[in-house]
Amino acid sequence: MSETAPVDVAASHRFPCQSCGADYRFDPGHDRLICDHCGNTEEIGLTRGPAIRELDFEAALRSVLPAQDIEETRVSQCPNCAAQVEFDSNTHAAECPFCATPVVTDTGLHRHIKPRGVLPFALDEPTARSAMKDWLGSLWFAPNGLQDYARKGRAMSGIYVPYWTFDADTASRYSGERGTVYYETITVVRDGKRVRKQVAKIRWSPARGRVARFFDDVLVLASKSPPKRFTDALEPWDLAALEPYRPEYLAGFRAEGYSVQLEEGYQEARAHMARVIERDVKFDIGGDRQRIHDIDTSVKDVTFKHILLPVWLAAYKYRGRTFRFVVNGRTGRVQGERPYSAWKIAFAVLLGLIIAGTIGYFYGLEQGAFQ
């Protein structure tokens, strides 16, 4: 990345209220800033401009991105889960929103590629908490204590999670085989009798060809903090609603710095592309069955964006264990670690045995009555 001075936005996520001087926060779903102290509001004044600019992947690898595409933020790393969470300058101690571990903030600066787009929160904290409570209530065998703790516990944390998106133009040459299913009638001996039956067989023929596909916004999680199986399950994200990055959207929220580096993220994107290309090749081969011997893919015009997606997150410590729950800040979709109650499971097993025993008892009586 460029050695010229980066843009420092560490202090630009705070917006003082024009009436009382307290900090504004972004009001999800209303495209405005609101002061929780006096209730004053200020419209952000969105204007839909041109598409969010992509960055050149090769330029980033050569560290020659322009200075305006780089920023420095004050980020502290959690000693437990290694999350890199941004804190404002007045915060000196806090809990990690991903695992509830106490974090002592420092004054170190994290120099990174600046976000190009942000998907603003559409759901406020009470709505996200309600979705999480409903999800917990739908789980069989969840401990009552955990559900009570979730209902009475602290507010959820709104955090912008970092992602990479990649665009690429691909062209692939392949070789393989096309399989055509046909049937032969054979005679077999069954119960001492000769019977005729049809057997499916496959006739293979060579196949070669080319496929091409342009990939747009292949999404890759740029964080190692939230379990990937949870964040993947929050999809789909309405990326068409991405807004150009503005610090106003982060007012009152936290943002995590990316811990998956750009090249590592690209390798994951390429694996996704390879799976899609393989599907395209099978479709192009056609027939009833397909065999792929080789795929040679050329990739050009690779671009990327660093974007921020909204997640409501709760990390509850219950009886020595940490349970994490994430809520899509746009759709309310919930994912999390599934807790189990040992006594509920034992009770269900005991109840099942009692029911089975009762059914067996009456069945035995019925059988005896007919003898």
Side-chain angles (χ1 to χ4, degrees):
M1 283 168 279
S2 173
E3 296 299 327
T4 56
V7 178
D8 184 353
V9 298
S12 65
H13 296 169
R14 300 184 62 196
F15 299 88
C17 173
Q18 296 179 356
S19 294
C20 68
D23 286 339
Y24 278 127
R25 65 169 176 83
F26 176 69
D27 189 12
H30 294 91
D31 292 330
R32 66 182 183 181
L33 299 176
I34 186 170
C35 176
D36 290 329
H37 182 71
C38 70
N40 188 39
T41 62
E42 181 179 328
E43 298 298 323
I44 294 180
L46 296 179
T47 55
R48 176 63 68 179
I52 299 172
R53 181 171 62 90
E54 301 276 338
L55 300 180
D56 183 80
F57 178 68
E58 293 297 331
L61 292 186
R62 297 196 308 271
S63 300
V64 292
L65 286 178
Q68 64 265 27
D69 293 323
I70 309 299
E71 71 173 359
E72 288 184 346
T73 53
R74 181 171 176 257
V75 175
S76 294
Q77 180 169 303
C78 172
N80 182 47
C81 70
Q84 299 191 57
V85 183
E86 180 180 339
F87 295 94
D88 62 55
S89 58
N90 292 332
T91 302
H92 302 288
E95 281 190 351
C96 172
F98 291 99
C99 67
T101 299
V103 175
V104 177
T105 66
D106 55 44
T107 57
L109 293 179
H110 180 64
R111 188 170 185 269
H112 55 208
I113 299 171
K114 186 177 181 179
R116 301 298 307 170
V118 57
L119 194 57
F121 277 89
L123 303 180
D124 58 16
E125 195 276 338
T127 303
R129 172 178 287 274
S130 177
M132 185 191 68
K133 288 190 296 185
D134 292 342
W135 182 80
L136 277 174
S138 68
L139 297 180
W140 287 23
F141 307 129
N144 291 334
L146 180 64
Q147 296 180 11
D148 293 339
Y149 187 75
R151 284 192 290 266
K152 301 175 183 177
R154 298 183 302 273
M156 302 183 75
S157 297
I159 187 164
Y160 283 100
V161 177
Y163 281 78
W164 301 112
T165 72
F166 294 93
D167 292 1
D169 199 5
T170 67
S172 304
R173 294 182 300 175
Y174 69 84
S175 63
E177 294 177 87
R178 178 187 300 109
T180 302
V181 175
Y182 67 97
Y183 294 88
E184 286 187 353
T185 301
I186 63 174
T187 302
V188 298
V189 177
R190 183 178 299 163
D191 297 330
K193 298 181 180 179
R194 296 169 65 86
V195 296
R196 297 165 67 85
K197 62 177 292 187
Q198 286 191 323
V199 178
K201 294 189 176 183
I202 302 175
R203 181 180 296 109
W204 294 100
S205 58
R208 295 178 180 274
R210 298 172 180 264
V211 296
R213 176 178 285 269
F214 176 75
F215 288 91
D216 181 38
D217 283 347
V218 176
L219 190 65
V220 176
L221 177 66
S223 169
K224 296 181 180 179
S225 308
K228 193 173 184 304
R229 66 185 187 276
F230 295 164
T231 52
D232 285 351
L234 292 182
E235 297 181 14
W237 295 94
D238 51 338
L239 297 184
L242 277 171
E243 295 286 348
Y245 173 80
R246 295 179 63 174
E248 287 91 338
Y249 291 122
L250 275 63
F253 294 93
R254 291 175 180 167
E256 186 190 9
Y258 58 80
S259 53
V260 174
Q261 298 303 310
L262 179 63
E263 191 168 7
E264 182 183 356
Y266 176 66
Q267 293 305 317
E268 183 175 337
R270 282 288 286 118
H272 168 81
M273 295 177 194
R275 292 190 294 270
V276 175
I277 291 171
E278 180 178 334
R279 185 191 64 194
D280 290 347
V281 167
K282 289 184 176 181
F283 182 81
D284 197 63
I285 289 176
D288 302 309
R289 301 286 190 275
Q290 302 84 31
R291 288 175 177 167
I292 299 175
H293 298 322
D294 180 66
I295 300 177
D296 182 18
T297 299
S298 63
V299 184
K300 65 179 182 179
D301 299 332
V302 181
T303 59
F304 74 96
K305 297 189 299 293
H306 171 206
I307 65 173
L308 301 175
L309 301 184
V311 173
W312 287 105
L313 188 143
Y316 293 109
K317 286 193 173 181
Y318 177 72
R319 293 186 177 178
R321 291 189 57 193
T322 299
F323 296 92
R324 290 172 293 182
F325 311 101
V326 291
V327 181
N328 185 314
R330 301 282 294 190
T331 66
R333 185 178 179 86
V334 184
Q335 293 294 317
E337 291 171 295
R338 182 184 180 91
Y340 291 92
S341 169
W343 75 264
K344 283 187 176 182
I345 294 174
F347 178 77
V349 171
L350 179 60
L351 181 61
L353 291 174
I354 292 173
I355 293 174
T358 302
I359 293 174
Y361 173 75
F362 284 105
Y363 179 77
L365 288 180
E366 183 179 354
Q367 292 295 100
F370 286 98
Q371 292 178 356

